[in-house]
Coordinates of all heavy atoms in Angstrom, one line a residue:
V1 N 68.1 36.4 96.6 CA 66.8 36.4 95.9 C 66.8 35.3 94.8 O 67.7 35.2 94.0 CB 66.5 37.7 95.3 CG1 65.2 37.6 94.6 CG2 66.3 38.8 96.5
G2 N 65.8 34.4 95.0 CA 65.7 33.3 94.0 C 66.4 32.0 94.5 O 66.3 31.0 93.8
G3 N 67.2 32.1 95.6 CA 68.0 31.0 96.0 C 67.3 30.2 97.1 O 66.2 30.4 97.5
E4 N 68.1 29.2 97.6 CA 67.5 28.2 98.5 C 67.9 28.5 100.0 O 67.4 27.8 100.9 CB 67.9 26.8 98.2 CG 69.4 26.5 98.4 CD 69.8 25.0 98.3 OE1 68.9 24.2 98.5 OE2 71.0 24.7 98.2
R5 N 68.7 29.5 100.3 CA 69.1 29.8 101.6 C 68.0 30.6 102.4 O 68.2 31.8 102.6 CB 70.5 30.6 101.6 CG 71.6 29.8 101.0 CD 72.8 30.6 100.7 NE 73.9 29.9 100.0 CZ 75.0 29.5 100.6 NH1 75.1 29.7 101.9 NH2 75.9 28.8 100.0
N6 N 67.0 29.9 102.7 CA 65.8 30.6 103.3 C 65.4 29.8 104.5 O 64.9 28.7 104.4 CB 64.6 30.6 102.3 CG 65.1 30.8 100.9 OD1 65.8 31.8 100.6 ND2 64.6 30.0 99.9
W7 N 65.5 30.4 105.7 CA 65.4 29.7 107.0 C 64.4 30.4 107.9 O 64.0 31.5 107.7 CB 66.8 29.6 107.7 CG 67.9 29.2 106.7 CD1 68.9 30.1 106.3 CD2 68.1 28.0 106.1 NE1 69.7 29.4 105.5 CE2 69.3 28.1 105.3 CE3 67.5 26.8 106.2 CZ2 69.8 27.1 104.6 CZ3 68.0 25.7 105.4 CH2 69.1 25.9 104.6
D8 N 63.9 29.6 108.8 CA 63.0 30.1 109.8 C 63.8 30.6 111.1 O 64.4 29.8 111.8 CB 62.0 29.0 110.2 CG 60.9 29.5 111.1 OD1 60.9 30.6 111.6 OD2 59.9 28.7 111.2
Y9 N 63.7 31.9 111.3 CA 64.5 32.5 112.4 C 63.7 32.9 113.6 O 64.1 33.6 114.5 CB 65.2 33.7 111.9 CG 66.5 33.5 111.2 CD1 66.9 32.2 110.7 CD2 67.5 34.5 111.1 CE1 68.1 32.0 110.1 CE2 68.7 34.3 110.4 CZ 69.0 33.0 109.9 OH 70.2 32.8 109.3
R10 N 62.5 32.3 113.8 CA 61.6 32.8 114.8 C 61.8 32.0 116.1 O 60.8 31.8 116.9 CB 60.1 32.7 114.4 CG 59.8 33.5 113.1 CD 58.5 33.2 112.6 NE 58.4 31.8 112.2 CZ 57.2 31.1 112.2 NH1 56.1 31.7 112.6 NH2 57.2 29.8 111.9
Y11 N 63.0 31.6 116.4 CA 63.3 30.8 117.6 C 64.4 31.4 118.4 O 65.1 32.4 117.9 CB 63.7 29.4 117.1 CG 62.6 28.8 116.2 CD1 62.9 28.5 114.9 CD2 61.3 28.5 116.7 CE1 61.9 28.0 114.0 CE2 60.4 28.0 115.8 CZ 60.7 27.8 114.5 OH 59.7 27.3 113.7
T12 N 64.7 30.8 119.5 CA 65.8 31.4 120.4 C 67.0 30.6 120.2 O 67.1 29.4 120.5 CB 65.3 31.3 121.9 OG1 64.1 32.1 122.0 CG2 66.4 31.8 122.8
W13 N 68.1 31.2 119.7 CA 69.4 30.6 119.5 C 70.2 30.8 120.8 O 70.3 32.0 121.3 CB 70.1 31.2 118.4 CG 70.0 30.5 117.0 CD1 71.0 29.7 116.4 CD2 68.9 30.5 116.2 NE1 70.5 29.2 115.2 CE2 69.2 29.7 115.0 CE3 67.6 31.0 116.2 CZ2 68.3 29.4 114.0 CZ3 66.7 30.8 115.2 CH2 67.1 30.0 114.1
I14 N 70.7 29.8 121.4 CA 71.5 30.0 122.6 C 72.6 31.0 122.3 O 72.9 31.8 123.2 CB 72.1 28.6 123.0 CG1 71.0 27.6 123.5 CG2 73.2 28.8 124.1 CD1 70.3 28.1 124.7
R15 N 73.3 30.9 121.2 CA 74.4 31.8 120.8 C 74.0 33.2 120.8 O 74.5 34.1 121.5 CB 75.0 31.4 119.5 CG 76.0 32.3 118.9 CD 76.4 31.8 117.5 NE 76.7 30.4 117.5 CZ 75.9 29.5 116.8 NH1 74.8 29.9 116.2 NH2 76.2 28.3 116.8
D16 N 73.0 33.5 120.0 CA 72.6 34.9 119.8 C 72.1 35.5 121.1 O 72.5 36.6 121.5 CB 71.4 35.0 118.8 CG 71.8 34.4 117.4 OD1 72.5 33.4 117.4 OD2 71.3 34.9 116.4
A17 N 71.2 34.8 121.8 CA 70.7 35.3 123.0 C 71.7 35.5 124.1 O 71.7 36.5 124.8 CB 69.6 34.3 123.5
S18 N 72.6 34.5 124.2 CA 73.7 34.6 125.3 C 74.6 35.8 125.0 O 75.0 36.5 126.0 CB 74.5 33.3 125.3 OG 73.6 32.3 125.7
L19 N 74.9 36.1 123.8 CA 75.8 37.2 123.5 C 75.1 38.5 123.7 O 75.8 39.6 123.8 CB 76.4 37.1 122.1 CG 77.4 35.9 121.9 CD1 77.8 35.8 120.5 CD2 78.6 36.0 122.8
S20 N 73.8 38.5 123.7 CA 73.0 39.8 123.8 C 73.1 40.3 125.3 O 72.8 41.4 125.6 CB 71.6 39.6 123.4 OG 70.9 38.8 124.3
V21 N 73.4 39.4 126.2 CA 73.4 39.7 127.6 C 74.3 40.8 128.0 O 74.0 41.8 128.7 CB 73.7 38.5 128.5 CG1 73.9 38.8 130.0 CG2 72.5 37.5 128.4
R22 N 75.5 40.8 127.4 CA 76.5 41.8 127.7 C 76.0 43.2 127.2 O 76.2 44.2 127.9 CB 77.8 41.5 127.0 CG 79.0 42.5 127.2 CD 79.5 42.4 128.6 NE 79.0 43.4 129.5 CZ 79.2 43.4 130.8 NH1 79.9 42.4 131.3 NH2 78.7 44.4 131.5
A23 N 75.4 43.2 126.0 CA 74.9 44.5 125.5 C 73.8 45.0 126.4 O 73.7 46.2 126.6 CB 74.5 44.3 124.1
L24 N 72.9 44.1 126.8 CA 71.8 44.6 127.6 C 72.3 45.2 129.0 O 71.8 46.2 129.4 CB 70.8 43.4 127.9 CG 70.0 42.9 126.7 CD1 69.3 41.6 127.0 CD2 69.0 44.0 126.3
I25 N 73.3 44.5 129.6 CA 73.8 45.0 130.8 C 74.5 46.3 130.6 O 74.3 47.2 131.4 CB 74.7 43.9 131.4 CG1 73.9 42.7 131.9 CG2 75.5 44.5 132.6 CD1 74.8 41.6 132.4
D26 N 75.3 46.4 129.6 CA 76.0 47.7 129.3 C 75.0 48.9 129.1 O 75.3 50.0 129.5 CB 76.8 47.6 128.1 CG 78.1 46.7 128.3 OD1 78.5 46.5 129.5 OD2 78.7 46.3 127.3
L27 N 73.8 48.6 128.6 CA 72.8 49.6 128.4 C 72.0 49.9 129.7 O 71.2 50.9 129.7 CB 71.8 49.2 127.3 CG 72.5 49.1 125.9 CD1 71.4 48.8 124.8 CD2 73.2 50.4 125.5
G28 N 72.1 49.0 130.7 CA 71.3 49.2 131.9 C 70.1 48.4 132.0 O 69.3 48.5 132.9
F29 N 69.8 47.5 131.0 CA 68.6 46.6 131.0 C 68.9 45.3 131.7 O 68.9 44.2 131.1 CB 68.1 46.5 129.6 CG 67.7 47.7 128.9 CD1 68.4 48.2 127.8 CD2 66.7 48.5 129.4 CE1 68.0 49.4 127.2 CE2 66.3 49.7 128.8 CZ 67.0 50.1 127.7
T30 N 69.1 45.4 133.0 CA 69.5 44.1 133.7 C 68.3 43.2 133.9 O 68.4 42.0 134.0 CB 70.0 44.5 135.1 OG1 69.0 45.4 135.8 CG2 71.3 45.3 135.0
E31 N 67.1 43.7 133.9 CA 65.9 42.9 134.1 C 65.8 41.9 132.9 O 65.5 40.7 133.0 CB 64.6 43.7 134.2 CG 63.3 42.9 134.3 CD 62.1 43.8 134.4 OE1 62.2 45.0 134.8 OE2 61.0 43.3 134.0
E32 N 66.0 42.4 131.7 CA 65.9 41.6 130.5 C 67.1 40.6 130.5 O 66.9 39.4 130.1 CB 66.0 42.5 129.2 CG 64.7 43.2 128.9 CD 64.5 44.5 129.8 OE1 65.5 44.8 130.6 OE2 63.5 45.1 129.7
A33 N 68.3 41.0 130.9 CA 69.4 40.1 130.9 C 69.1 39.0 131.9 O 69.4 37.8 131.7 CB 70.7 40.8 131.3

C-alpha cells in the first residue's frame, strides 16, 4: 500500500493458464482445459 508495484492483471499469462490445465483435468473439467 502506497508503493509502485501496481500492475494490470486482466490478461492471459501463458504460464498461469498452462499450469491451470492439470488442476482442471484433475477436477473433471476437461471442456475448460
Side-chain angles (χ1 to χ4, degrees):
V1 173
E4 69 168 342
R5 298 168 182 258
N6 320 311
W7 315 108
D8 190 347
Y9 275 20
R10 300 170 301 151
Y11 308 112
T12 300
W13 267 252
I14 295 294
R15 174 186 310 111
D16 304 33
S18 295
L19 293 176
S20 73
V21 168
R22 179 73 262 168
L24 290 170
I25 291 174
D26 287 342
L27 295 182
F29 296 118
T30 55
E31 179 181 335
E32 286 76 8

